[in-house]
Amino acid sequence: MTAKRALITGANSGMGLAATIELAKKGFEVIMVCRNEERGNPALEEAKRQSGSDSISLMTCDLASLDSIRAFSEDFTSRYSVLDVLINNAGVVTIKRETTQDSFEMMLGVNHLGHFLLTNLLLDPLKKSQQGRIINVGSGAHKAGKIDFNNPHLTTGFGIWRGYSQSKLANNLFTVHLSKKLKDTSVTVNCLHPGAVSTAIGVNRQTGFGKSVHAVLRPFFFTPLQGAETAIYLADSPEVTHISGAYFYKKRVTPPSSRAKDERLAEEFWDWSAREVGL
Ligand SMILES: NC(=O)c1ccc[n+]([C@@H]2O[C@H](COP(=O)([O-])OP(=O)(O)OC[C@H]3O[C@@H](n4cnc5c(N)ncnc54)[C@H](OP(=O)(O)O)[C@@H]3O)[C@@H](O)[C@H]2O)c1
């Protein structure tokens, strides 16, 4: 039997790295997608060492650039015809307003729009899998999120929480509408909240902002592996073969906010996202 193939974004750190190691231990072929080789290569070596598997490789893609995502998808589909599991895990929290190469607000751009384009460009290989699975790593932060169609890129009134919660609500809405679009295929798509997890997210590499908050809260947080458990479960478990469009926490279907289930909003937001990325 051929190994199942999983692609994980943001695989060089935190939960992405933990999921890479665990899925490789379970016999998956894992493609780590990282923003560059400098950040990816040490993680690739670490993942191979910890898993004892050689079936792990690195590909680069900057989710803050639509050109990079398109180039990556072309490269991927020229190398591989089948993809069994796509884990849209990469995420960013910025303390001030930053923009992607395409002038999107960074959190909406990377956490949602980048993955939105990537997923759409990888639907063919996912449909060729016996049972393709798309796993969107969302957050309980979606509950505070609103989609501001008049000012989605927060050109005025930027706030960390406002931007992050909007981008995470976007993960739920994307899941809801994509599951509708995929209903006549064997591909499923689900979203999850990993819990509060001790990772590098929100810690600014240049200024160190966020480090002390992190150090204080660390004892109360899940480890990256504990945080990755639901994504690993959704990638590997036969129990979820027929579940699509759901939101999971601690490996169980959990109700998200009422806004996150709003099918009309999900459709309107899909159409907006498609226009933004030029689909
Ligand atoms: N930690 C928590 O408590 C928590 C709670 C709820 C949800 N989440 C979600 O969990 C997911 C994983 O986060 P984490 O906590 O494991 O954080 P993390 O360790 O900071 O991992 C985030 C990953 O995303 C990558 N990334 C960021 N911007 C990128 C870009 N432009 N292109 C490609 N990759 C990019 C990072 O790459 P670099 O290393 O190169 O920056 C890193 O590999 C995120 O979606 C986050 O929103 C986390």
Side-chain angles (χ1 to χ4, degrees):
M1 211 176 77
T2 50
K4 284 190 185 162
R5 181 175 294 131
L7 185 163
I8 305 178
T9 66
N12 60 294
S13 133
M15 287 179 262
L17 179 57
T20 298
I21 294 165
E22 284 310 297
L23 289 179
K25 281 187 190 166
K26 288 176 181 286
F28 277 75
E29 174 192 350
V30 183
I31 294 140
M32 302 173 74
V33 178
C34 304
R35 73 167 100 198
N36 57 42
E37 291 193 350
E38 192 189 349
R39 296 190 60 70
N41 273 327
L44 173 65
E45 292 316 312
E46 182 66 16
K48 283 184 174 173
R49 195 184 61 73
Q50 283 200 38
S51 65
S53 166
D54 262 337
S55 295
I56 310 178
S57 56
L58 171 68
M59 290 181 75
T60 58
C61 176
D62 181 357
L63 288 157
S65 157
L66 298 181
D67 283 347
S68 175
I69 296 164
R70 288 186 186 282
F72 166 80
S73 304
E74 270 180 35
D75 189 9
F76 181 87
T77 48
S78 70
R79 291 192 211 185
Y80 306 103
S81 57
V82 179
L83 177 61
D84 300 291
V85 173
L86 168 62
I87 306 186
N88 288 320
N89 162 79
V92 64
V93 172
T94 67
I95 51 174
K96 56 182 176 42
R97 186 176 182 275
E98 294 178 22
T99 52
T100 67
Q101 190 185 291
D102 307 278
S103 304
F104 303 150
E105 186 280 317
M106 186 64 78
M107 293 186 271
L108 190 59
V110 170
N111 302 356
H112 168 60
L113 289 168
H115 285 119
F116 176 87
L117 178 62
L118 178 73
T119 305
N120 274 287
L121 296 177
L122 296 180
L123 285 179
D124 280 346
L126 282 158
K127 286 177 186 167
K128 288 193 185 123
S129 165
Q130 203 177 354
Q131 201 267 293
R133 298 182 180 195
I134 301 163
I135 299 156
N136 293 324
V137 180
S139 168
H142 80 270
K143 291 183 179 165
K146 289 190 186 124
I147 305 294
D148 184 350
F149 284 106
N150 294 319
N151 183 24
H153 296 297
L154 308 181
T155 47
T156 56
F158 174 83
I160 306 175
W161 190 239
R162 186 177 169 196
Y164 185 65
S165 61
Q166 174 176 252
S167 76
K168 290 287 138 180
L169 173 61
N171 296 155
N172 287 79
L173 295 172
F174 175 43
T175 305
V176 166
H177 198 64
L178 183 56
S179 73
K180 265 184 150 181
K181 285 189 165 280
L182 293 172
K183 72 176 184 346
D184 295 327
T185 75
S186 62
V187 182
T188 58
V189 52
N190 291 293
C191 188
L192 68 96
H193 171 47
V197 187
S198 180
T199 66
I201 201 159
V203 176
N204 186 293
R205 279 203 285 272
Q206 275 82 45
T207 63
F209 178 91
K211 258 195 184 136
S212 53
V213 177
H214 223 79
V216 173
L217 292 176
R218 183 162 291 138
F220 306 103
F221 281 4
F222 289 157
T223 64
L225 178 55
Q226 289 169 330
E229 272 173 8
T230 300
I232 295 162
Y233 170 76
L234 288 173
D236 192 40
S237 170
E239 289 166 25
V240 292
T241 305
H242 301 293
I243 302 180
S244 191
Y247 176 66
F248 283 76
Y249 176 50
K250 291 188 175 172
K251 303 187 197 171
R252 282 168 191 261
V253 175
T254 307
S257 69
S258 52
R259 198 175 281 128
K261 293 183 289 196
D262 182 334
E263 293 188 14
R264 264 193 27 211
L265 175 62
E267 183 169 5
E268 189 183 359
F269 186 59
W270 177 285
D271 292 344
W272 175 83
S273 303
R275 285 194 299 276
E276 289 294 287
V277 303
L279 263 186

